Amino acid sequence: MTPERKNRIQQVLDKRQNDITVILENVHNPHNISAIMRTCDAVGIQDIFIITTTEAPQKFWGRRSNAGAAGWMTIHQFTDVYSCIKEVRLRHQKIITTSLVAGSKTVFDIDFTSNLAIAFGNEAHGISAELMLHADDNYVIPQVGIIPSLNVSVSCAVSLYEALRQKSMAGHYNSPKISEDQFNNLSEKWKITE
């Protein structure tokens, strides 16, 4: 490995955020999933949780949209909501959903500096009632147009860049947040990732 690549891996891992993650529930379009992965990588999210209850779990993540982001991420796949929530709760204090529910907060009212998982739902049906039962809070992204919601990958990008803004202002990117063991494991894995 060249010194430049080693330095790049070090820089990226130093910015990884272990206190924020994304849950995708029955998001089926591989381009949406890949675009979300690319955004997660861009803001320093390492782990992503994918729930697939209505189709077979994905085996391939479209490279055109994610520019290979899946190879740099840790993907956790589940075939039921409860198993995913149980695993997420071991790592994160809150689960926040994004659903068009009356009385919701806006994305700008959420404290993204806290330890949380953000759940995004199916392209047509949104978050399931089962997942909503596990939510600690819900928000919407303000809009003034005719169409009431954004594409799921755009919604995720807007949310994660608000998280990046808040976390940057709070100094979360100023020092490493992942454990030494995770740093070493990912560093070894990434040495051979293309």
Side-chain angles (χ1 to χ4, degrees):
M1 179 168 43
T2 66
E4 293 80 15
R5 183 175 170 99
K6 184 175 181 180
N7 186 51
R8 179 70 179 138
I9 288 172
Q10 169 88 38
Q11 289 174 349
V12 170
L13 287 174
D14 281 347
K15 302 292 184 192
R16 283 303 203 228
Q17 304 292 296
N18 63 356
D19 59 356
I20 186 169
T21 194
V22 164
I23 300 170
L24 301 181
E25 182 190 32
N26 291 318
V27 175
H28 298 308
N29 184 316
H31 297 294
N32 282 336
I33 295 170
S34 296
I36 289 168
M37 287 181 183
R38 189 169 182 175
T39 303
C40 287
D41 174 66
V43 302
I45 292 176
Q46 181 59 43
D47 293 88
I48 187 168
F49 294 80
I50 299 176
I51 304 168
T52 309
T53 63
T54 58
E55 290 186 2
Q58 287 282 108
K59 293 182 180 177
F60 172 76
W61 314 104
R63 291 184 67 84
R64 285 165 92 200
S65 297
N66 72 6
W72 304 103
M73 304 200 62
T74 305
I75 301 166
H76 308 268
Q77 291 195 75
F78 299 86
T79 55
D80 67 283
V81 171
Y82 179 74
S83 296
C84 179
I85 296 304
K86 186 176 175 184
E87 182 66 27
V88 168
R89 289 284 187 196
L90 294 174
R91 303 163 186 243
H92 301 282
Q93 296 167 353
K94 295 180 186 174
I95 295 173
I96 310 296
T97 51
T98 53
S99 185
L100 297 174
V101 178
S104 296
K105 295 178 177 179
T106 75
V107 68
F108 308 114
D109 299 319
I110 299 295
D111 178 7
F112 288 105
T113 65
S114 61
N115 187 318
L116 55 80
I118 312 165
F120 298 90
N122 175 267
E123 291 90 342
H125 307 292
I127 300 278
S128 70
E130 183 181 4
L131 182 51
M132 286 292 287
L133 288 174
H134 296 281
D136 299 296
D137 214 337
N138 184 74
Y139 70 90
V140 296
I141 296 171
Q143 294 178 227
V144 295
I146 295 285
I147 301 168
S149 64
L150 297 169
N151 171 282
V152 65
S153 65
V154 175
S155 179
C156 183
V158 169
S159 301
L160 293 185
Y161 272 88
E162 173 59 16
L164 174 80
R165 185 190 70 79
Q166 290 183 23
K167 290 168 75 60
S168 294
M169 289 177 62
H172 286 210
Y173 292 92
N174 294 346
S175 59
K177 295 189 86 172
I178 62 174
S179 70
E180 187 176 344
D181 282 346
Q182 188 179 17
F183 183 99
N184 291 334
N185 289 339
L186 289 170
S187 183
E188 284 303 310
K189 178 186 170 191
W190 289 6
K191 283 180 184 177
I192 57 171
T193 300
E194 291 299 328

